[in-house]
Structure formats: structure tokens, C-alpha cells
Amino acid sequence: MLPGSIQISGETLSSAEIRDICESLRENSVRLLSLRGCQLSDRDFGRICRGVAESHSLAQLNLNLGIVSNINRVKLLAEALKTNRSIQSLFLHGSPLTDAGLAILNPALSTHPSLVALDLGDCMLGDEGINLICGLLPPDGAKSGLKELTLSANPGVTAKGWGRLAIAVAHSSQVRVLNLDYNPLGDQVAGMLAVAVASSRTLEVLDLEGTGLTNHSAQILLDMVENYPTALRTLILGENSISPELQQQISDLLSEGEEEEENETREVTVREKNPWICQSNSSSQMVFMASGLGESLLAETEM
């Protein structure tokens, strides 16, 4: 039987329900476990963590909205992550971790062999926490690291901390999605992030919604998108003091880049499948592709 999912939101969990969840974890019949906003005792949280440690099928663990509510729970989760080898995505959004809690989790996070997505939004982090997170974004040629990182709504981080993160992102060989929405970044930090995006060969999505940006930083981002080839495909700038015209210009340029990349991919595919096509006659290639060959291409979908 293929592993399934257990998704419970905002409920008070009984001991019997906890027992059933733990049995499913031990039987490797759960791929996704979400207990978002649920209420459970410290004892039952410990039971869940032991089940997580024993599971070989669990790929996504969602403990958003206050499940990891004290330092003892942080320690229990850290111990579980040291043993578990299967989790790919960990969501702790809205947990009062603070830098001290992240310091406890960090050894398990940094050595986990499968973790590629981490949500630490609204976790009361500061600059020290960001320093630890930078270690999860190893530079080119180093070990594998995070591909998706969410740090929304952590207003305790200063420009110095965001600057360090920008440097780590610029040199990371892995990160593709970075969510920094609802942090008071301002134009100074946005400028640093623009340099990071221009340097990154992997970053595809950057969320800067509600981060205190103005037309000044938007113009810098526009210049970056217009003049430097990047992997960036989505830049979210809503709820900032940026004119609709600038936002549209940036969006149009990103769309053009994506269309050009798709056309190049299709052209290469046509050449590989039909080596007899004359390489010098680009117009005939484009007409041939428009006949429907491109429809057979499958887009990669990741869980």
C-alpha cells in the first residue's frame, strides 16, 4: 500500500488519536503528517516525535501554528530529526522558536540527508538565527542544502542579518525558492537581494510582498532583470509602495525570459528528435515546432 496522508487542523487531539498516528508512522503508511494548529499534551508530542524518528516513509511534516510551543518540545523534535532520514519538507511557521530554539534544532537540520524545504516564518528569529540558516545554504561545490526556504514575518532580523543571508543565497548552488514576505526589509536590503539574485544560478522564486519597498528598489530590481541573465522567474512585490507600471515592467521582462527559455528548450528537443532538420534554417524549425511537437514535452512536477 502506498503511503498516504494525515491532515488535522486546529483540533484538540486525544490520546487515542495520537496512538493511531504513531502506529501509522511506525508502519510507514504516512507520507504527509500535518497537525497545523492542533492542541496536544507535552507527553503526546513526545510520542509523535518518537513516531517521526522511526518512520521511513514520512516526507512532509507540518507543525505550523504553535505546535512546537516550548523549549522542551524543540529538544524532542531535534532528537527525532537526528534519527529520521526521510523528511524532505519541515514546516514550523508560527512557532516561538527564537534564536535559542533554532540553535538546538540546527545540528539536526544541518546533517539531515533529505531535507530540502524549510519554513521558519514567524518564528521570532533574529540575526543569530539567520547566521545558522546561512549554514543550511552551502556554497557551490559543497554538500547539498535547502532548495526552498521561508523566513516570512521575522521582524527581529536586522539589515546586517539579511545582508548575510543575501551573500549565502548568492553563493548557494541549491536554493530555488526564497520567501521573505512581511519583513521590514526596505530599499537597502532589497538592493543587497538584487545583487544576490543576479549572482545566483538557481533562484527562481523570490517573495518580497509587504517588505517596505519603494520605486527606488523596484528600479534596481528592474535593471537587474533587464540587464543580467538570471534564473529568476517569479518576483512577488505586492503590498509595497511600488507603482503598478514598474511592477508590470518587471513582470513582463520575467515572462519574456521564461518564454525564451521554453523556446530554446523546444528547439533543442526538435533537433535531438529530428537530426535531419537543417540547423541553419531557424524559421523552418519554428514552423515545425508550432505544428504540435512541443505538446509532447512533459513539464517536471515536484511534490
Side-chain angles (χ1 to χ4, degrees):
M1 182 177 65
L2 293 175
S5 66
I6 297 175
Q7 301 184 61
I8 309 172
S9 180
E11 296 185 12
T12 299
L13 300 178
S14 66
S15 294
E17 289 172 317
I18 296 295
R19 182 183 63 249
D20 291 342
I21 293 171
C22 292
E23 288 180 359
S24 297
L25 288 169
R26 286 192 294 269
E27 292 170 357
N28 295 313
S29 61
V30 180
R31 181 173 175 81
L32 185 159
L33 175 60
S34 176
L35 302 178
R36 186 176 181 273
C38 288
Q39 302 292 321
L40 65 164
S41 68
D42 287 346
R43 177 176 177 272
D44 285 340
F45 182 83
R47 294 168 64 190
I48 291 290
C49 286
R50 287 191 291 274
V52 168
E54 296 175 21
S55 176
H56 301 294
S57 64
L58 187 63
Q60 181 173 318
L61 179 60
N62 186 331
L63 300 177
N64 283 349
L65 301 184
I67 302 297
V68 187
S69 57
N70 57 56
I71 203 69
N72 289 328
R73 292 193 179 191
V74 173
K75 292 176 180 177
L76 289 169
L77 179 59
E79 288 301 315
L81 293 174
K82 288 178 182 177
T83 304
N84 177 276
R85 290 292 178 266
S86 63
I87 292 177
Q88 300 172 20
S89 303
L90 177 63
F91 300 90
L92 300 176
H93 201 111
S95 302
L97 283 181
T98 72
D99 291 350
L102 185 56
I104 293 171
L105 275 180
N106 186 63
L109 297 176
S110 61
T111 58
H112 198 286
S114 302
L115 188 66
V116 294
L118 180 64
D119 185 344
L120 295 177
D122 194 17
C123 282
M124 302 173 64
L125 301 179
D127 288 355
E128 290 304 314
I130 295 298
N131 288 344
L132 295 173
I133 290 167
C134 288
L136 303 177
L137 304 173
D140 292 345
K143 64 179 182 179
S144 61
L146 295 176
K147 294 182 180 180
E148 299 183 17
L149 176 61
T150 296
L151 293 171
S152 315
N154 280 294
V157 181
T158 69
K160 181 179 180 180
W162 295 126
R164 288 174 177 169
L165 181 70
I167 294 171
V169 169
H171 291 280
S172 170
S173 59
Q174 305 288 326
V175 65
R176 296 191 307 181
V177 178
L178 180 62
N179 299 312
L180 300 179
D181 47 312
Y182 299 105
N183 284 297
L185 303 181
D187 290 337
Q188 178 186 4
V189 173
M192 292 187 284
L193 290 171
V195 175
V197 172
S199 301
S200 172
R201 294 179 296 180
T202 59
L203 189 65
E204 299 175 359
V205 178
L206 178 60
D207 187 350
L208 298 178
E209 182 176 6
T211 52
L213 309 189
T214 70
N215 284 345
H216 176 76
S217 53
Q219 187 63 57
I220 294 174
L221 291 166
L222 176 63
D223 292 342
M224 179 270 297
V225 172
E226 189 171 20
N227 297 305
Y228 295 91
T230 73
L232 192 68
R233 293 295 171 261
T234 301
L235 178 59
I236 302 171
L237 294 173
E239 296 192 34
N240 286 297
S241 299
I242 299 174
S243 69
E245 293 78 14
L246 269 177
Q247 292 194 47
Q248 190 61 52
Q249 284 181 274
I250 294 171
S251 177
D252 290 345
L253 284 170
L254 291 174
S255 298
E256 288 175 9
E258 188 171 5
E259 289 173 2
E260 289 175 3
E261 185 177 281
E262 289 175 353
N263 289 336
E264 290 174 1
T265 301
R266 290 194 182 100
E267 184 174 345
V268 169
T269 303
V270 170
R271 290 174 179 172
E272 289 176 347
K273 289 188 175 182
N274 301 279
W276 46 266
I277 293 178
C278 177
Q279 300 298 314
S280 62
N281 191 342
S282 59
S283 60
S284 64
Q285 291 173 21
M286 293 303 295
V287 171
F288 186 78
M289 289 189 296
S291 67
L293 181 62
E295 295 176 2
S296 66
L297 301 178
L298 297 178
E300 178 184 357
T301 302
E302 294 188 357
M303 181 169 293

